[in-house]
Amino acid sequence: MIERLETSARMSRIVKHNGTIYLCGQVCADATKGITEQTQTMLDKVEALLLQAGSDKEHMLSATIYIKDMSMFAEMNAVWDNWVPQGHAPARACVEASMARDALLVEISVVAAEK
């Protein structure tokens, strides 16, 4: 069975299937901020969605991070490294990409297991 949460005509924020949770791409809460703040609020949103879906960051399986400019990679990673629980890092990819809005600096897509 497939369960879709917070679904619109375009997408679902959360999709659950066979114990796996898929989150739609998450961006920051305030695009006027710098990479550190954008990364932190983006990860805060991921954490809230994982909890809503019956999971947590210790159950992340994979993360794909899209960053506007690789010159911000170290700053983004500093926030990421503090956020991911030690010993529970997911498989991860990070690529430089154009963003949907010019002010956005980072976006993430996460797949996790249910608790």
Side-chain angles (χ1 to χ4, degrees):
M1 180 175 97
I2 299 173
E3 180 182 359
R4 300 173 199 282
L5 304 172
E6 297 188 37
T7 300
S8 69
R10 181 173 293 153
M11 66 182 186
S12 298
R13 290 191 76 195
I14 301 167
V15 175
K16 297 168 73 171
H17 181 254
N18 288 339
T20 303
I21 298 163
Y22 304 86
L23 301 183
C24 70
Q26 295 300 305
V27 297
C28 64
D30 183 350
T32 67
K33 303 293 184 182
I35 187 67
T36 298
E37 295 85 357
Q38 284 198 28
T39 302
Q40 185 60 60
T41 60
M42 171 190 76
L43 295 175
D44 292 345
K45 289 167 74 176
V46 167
E47 191 165 4
L49 288 171
L50 288 173
L51 291 173
Q52 178 183 343
S55 188
D56 58 29
K57 54 189 179 176
E58 291 185 356
H59 288 80
M60 286 189 301
L61 302 173
S62 69
T64 303
I65 299 171
Y66 306 92
I67 191 166
K68 184 174 183 174
D69 187 325
M70 279 296 182
S71 68
M72 298 178 271
F73 186 71
E75 292 171 273
M76 180 276 299
N77 269 331
V79 177
W80 172 265
D81 291 344
N82 283 327
W83 182 78
V84 174
Q86 187 172 6
H88 297 279
R92 190 187 100 162
C94 183
V95 297
E96 186 174 277
S98 296
M99 297 291 154
R101 290 181 288 149
D102 194 50
L104 294 172
L105 303 177
V106 64
E107 182 173 347
I108 190 169
S109 180
V110 171
V111 177
E114 286 184 297
K115 286 201 254 182

